[in-house]
Amino acid sequence: MLRAPALFRVETFVAATSSPLDLLLRKLETHSRLDEEDRQAILALPYTLKTLEAQSYTVREGDAPEVCAVLVSGFAYRQKLTGDGSRQIVAVHIPGEPLDFQNLFLDVADHNVQTLTRAEVAIIPRAELQKLARSRAAIGHAILVAILVEASIFREWVLNIGRRDARSRLAHVLCEFAIRLEAQGLADENGYELPMTQEQLADTLGLTPVHVNRTIMALESQGFIARDKRRIRFPDWRRMRDLADFNQRYLHLEPQGSGAFNG
């Protein structure tokens, strides 16, 4: 359970890892159990490190995916565009998370993935991940669970946009970021740096930037959050959680059963 909000310090964490794929392994083991052979198989995957500026595409709608990117540092997001160019952000990703598991076995990408901030990604050939998922049942199970957790988060976001008011909607996203950062070991007790502009939050929450600005100011004036520029902390986590109608069950932070993959 989060005792206090988390300050995101990716540089320190990345420096402490021996491989960028350690972050992917940590993410998979959040939800699934892997033995030492499985861990070594993941760490042995071929990859290329690449630094991307903010707003760079890693996936474009309509493309045939050939690689899977793992976010090593920075943030990324998924988005869909309407015919007139309006944007809806449908997911935000933090370090350690794969950006292309949803396209692992699909022939054509149906949405865009972009970096939210300057980011470093580990590019893995899609064929290598497919081969690993097929040849090692526990890894295939871990990848499937990761995709299912993404779907669970997406369902919560649909509920958030469709049924919560603006204050609860924004509070819920802020609570989710804190818990997810903590689960990846990217947290301390001093708050976290919110990586999104008010325009990007608006496109996430289905609000206007003006409405987002007013809602942030209201949360601050009412004592739900404290801000120092983009750093967010929660003076009273329980009170913030209650406002957000936040229950972290949908994040599935415990290892899930292996089910049919045990054969």
Side-chain angles (χ1 to χ4, degrees), residues 6-53:
L7 175 61
F8 176 59
R9 297 184 185 277
V10 66
E11 294 85 1
T12 301
F13 188 84
V14 169
T17 63
S18 58
S19 164
L21 298 185
D22 284 334
L23 287 167
L24 173 61
L25 179 59
R26 182 187 184 112
K27 173 61 179 176
L28 291 176
E29 290 195 301
T30 299
H31 309 293
S32 302
R33 295 179 177 87
L34 298 171
D35 64 23
E36 187 58 28
E37 288 187 4
D38 294 326
R39 296 185 190 102
Q40 292 306 315
I42 291 169
L43 295 176
L45 282 166
Y47 67 89
T48 302
L49 277 178
K50 188 174 183 180
T51 300
L52 302 175
E53 297 303 319

Side-chain angles (χ1 to χ4, degrees), residues 17-187:
T17 63
S18 58
S19 164
L21 298 185
D22 284 334
L23 287 167
L24 173 61
L25 179 59
R26 182 187 184 112
K27 173 61 179 176
L28 291 176
E29 290 195 301
T30 299
H31 309 293
S32 302
R33 295 179 177 87
L34 298 171
D35 64 23
E36 187 58 28
E37 288 187 4
D38 294 326
R39 296 185 190 102
Q40 292 306 315
I42 291 169
L43 295 176
L45 282 166
Y47 67 89
T48 302
L49 277 178
K50 188 174 183 180
T51 300
L52 302 175
E53 297 303 319
Q55 305 306 314
S56 297
Y57 284 86
T58 66
V59 178
R60 286 184 182 271
E61 184 171 355
D63 284 355
E66 296 182 353
V67 299
C68 178
V70 175
L71 194 60
V72 177
S73 68
F75 292 81
Y77 64 98
R78 300 180 184 277
Q79 52 105 329
K80 292 279 291 184
L81 298 174
T82 65
D84 65 5
S86 298
R87 178 179 66 177
Q88 179 66 45
I89 294 175
V90 299
V92 174
H93 288 284
I94 68 174
E97 294 185 344
L99 302 180
D100 303 297
F101 274 3
Q102 293 184 22
N103 292 315
L104 192 55
F105 292 102
L106 296 177
D107 293 333
V108 178
D110 55 49
H111 63 284
N112 302 298
V113 181
Q114 289 179 265
T115 54
L116 187 59
T117 63
R118 193 170 190 267
E120 188 174 35
V121 295
I123 306 294
I124 304 170
R126 189 172 81 143
E128 293 295 326
L129 268 172
Q130 289 175 335
K131 182 169 65 175
L132 200 58
R134 291 183 173 118
S135 64
R136 301 194 67 89
I139 294 176
H141 170 260
I143 290 173
L144 175 59
V145 170
I147 295 170
L148 293 174
V149 171
E150 288 183 357
S152 177
I153 294 172
F154 179 72
R155 288 190 292 273
E156 191 71 21
W157 280 38
V158 171
L159 174 64
N160 202 37
I161 293 173
R163 292 298 175 184
R164 294 188 178 109
D165 62 26
R167 284 197 319 157
S168 296
R169 204 179 295 185
L170 176 57
H172 196 279
V173 167
L174 296 179
C175 287
E176 180 185 300
F177 285 169
I179 294 291
R180 288 170 62 194
L181 288 170
E182 183 184 53
Q184 277 293 87
L186 302 171

Side-chain angles (χ1 to χ4, degrees), residues 137-261:
I139 294 176
H141 170 260
I143 290 173
L144 175 59
V145 170
I147 295 170
L148 293 174
V149 171
E150 288 183 357
S152 177
I153 294 172
F154 179 72
R155 288 190 292 273
E156 191 71 21
W157 280 38
V158 171
L159 174 64
N160 202 37
I161 293 173
R163 292 298 175 184
R164 294 188 178 109
D165 62 26
R167 284 197 319 157
S168 296
R169 204 179 295 185
L170 176 57
H172 196 279
V173 167
L174 296 179
C175 287
E176 180 185 300
F177 285 169
I179 294 291
R180 288 170 62 194
L181 288 170
E182 183 184 53
Q184 277 293 87
L186 302 171
D188 66 22
E189 297 184 352
N190 299 317
Y192 65 85
E193 298 286 342
L194 184 65
M196 306 178 76
T197 66
Q198 291 183 9
E199 180 181 4
Q200 291 162 344
L201 281 170
D203 288 349
T204 298
L205 300 171
L207 303 170
T208 66
V210 171
H211 200 168
V212 168
N213 178 262
R214 290 174 179 167
T215 305
I216 290 174
M217 293 177 65
L219 290 179
E220 186 173 22
S221 66
Q222 293 160 11
F224 289 100
I225 64 173
R227 289 193 300 161
D228 181 5
K229 297 181 180 178
R230 287 195 180 184
R231 180 178 293 183
I232 303 289
R233 64 180 181 86
F234 308 146
D236 186 334
W237 168 253
R238 185 180 298 275
R239 184 167 175 254
M240 180 69 168
R241 183 194 63 192
D242 290 345
L243 171 68
D245 184 31
F246 183 79
N247 184 324
Q248 67 187 54
R249 181 187 304 114
Y250 71 98
L251 297 173
H252 299 284
L253 294 175
E254 298 296 327
Q256 307 298 303
S258 56
F261 282 86

